[in-house]
Amino acid sequence: MIVIQRVRVRWTAAARGAPAANARRGLDQAVALPRPLPETDVVIHEVLTDEAVNYERCDLVLAGGVEQARDVGLWLCRDEATVTVDRLPGSAAYPRPYASTRLFALTPGQVGRYRANFRFTGCACAPSWYYEDWLVHVSYGQVTHDRFVRGQPNRDADHRVHLYGGTGRRSRPHP
């Protein structure tokens, strides 16, 4: 079993200042997995907190095969010994989507963490931007409901950037 949790925080350009940043502080944290989880190859716990609804949390559970990971922007390749996790190119306006990116490979029992942030627009002609901060955990094997909240990941990929300009964020290397 592969368990994925993607926590997204979404806000508009109007919420870029310090008071709005304080309102969403801490929302990009892992949460306990719902119980019970479906018994399938891949389970996804999708969590969204959106400024449009006063950051009220919305949870969704998806279940299926490895192709289900595409719904959250990931590509999984599994063999007997490992599951390889890649980030698929997406529709973000910034950072620009390129080819898929290798995030990490996990062996049974391991957990990987991926952090990223993005600037999106609805379409090329839309004048309004919105932003998302992602925290994604992937487990190769069953996990307790609080594993992503309490445990440390075995692999870590931090791809966050400065969305509003300024100097680049230092990327932390992952093993």
Side-chain angles (χ1 to χ4, degrees):
M1 173 184 271
I2 298 169
V3 180
I4 300 169
Q5 180 181 79
R6 179 173 71 165
V7 176
R8 292 182 298 152
V9 180
R10 180 182 295 157
W11 67 97
T12 64
R16 293 189 319 176
N22 285 336
R24 64 179 179 271
R25 185 178 319 281
L27 297 177
D28 62 344
Q29 301 296 316
V31 299
L33 293 166
R35 293 190 272 188
L37 290 176
E39 292 289 329
T40 61
D41 287 342
V42 175
V43 176
I44 298 171
H45 181 213
E46 175 81 290
V47 179
L48 174 64
T49 56
D50 193 330
E51 175 201 7
V53 292
N54 294 319
Y55 299 110
E56 183 177 322
R57 192 174 106 193
C58 177
D59 293 63
L60 178 67
V61 175
L62 307 168
V66 292
E67 69 282 349
Q68 190 76 54
R70 286 181 256 168
D71 291 345
V72 292
L74 300 177
W75 181 267
L76 303 177
C77 184
R78 181 171 57 182
D79 63 27
E80 293 292 322
T82 61
V83 62
T84 303
V85 182
D86 293 343
R87 166 79 173 104
L88 293 171
S91 60
Y94 184 77
R96 288 240 180 251
Y98 296 106
S100 63
T101 303
R102 173 72 33 91
L103 298 177
F104 39 73
L106 303 171
T107 57
Q110 289 190 323
V111 171
R113 177 175 63 193
Y114 166 56
R115 293 179 180 268
N117 53 5
F118 304 96
R119 184 173 65 207
F120 295 96
T121 184
C123 68
C125 60
S128 62
W129 298 93
Y130 68 94
Y131 303 88
E132 285 189 358
D133 191 9
W134 289 16
L135 172 64
V136 180
H137 282 93
V138 181
S139 169
Y140 188 17
Q142 291 188 359
V143 290
T144 61
H145 76 284
D146 62 349
R147 169 61 173 96
F148 300 150
V149 175
R150 297 187 187 279
Q152 290 299 311
N154 303 95
R155 304 283 181 262
D156 195 24
D158 191 338
H159 295 182
R160 292 176 290 180
V161 297
H162 283 276
L163 293 173
Y164 314 138
T167 59
R169 209 184 258 263
R170 284 204 167 129
S171 183
R172 286 184 264 164
H174 65 279

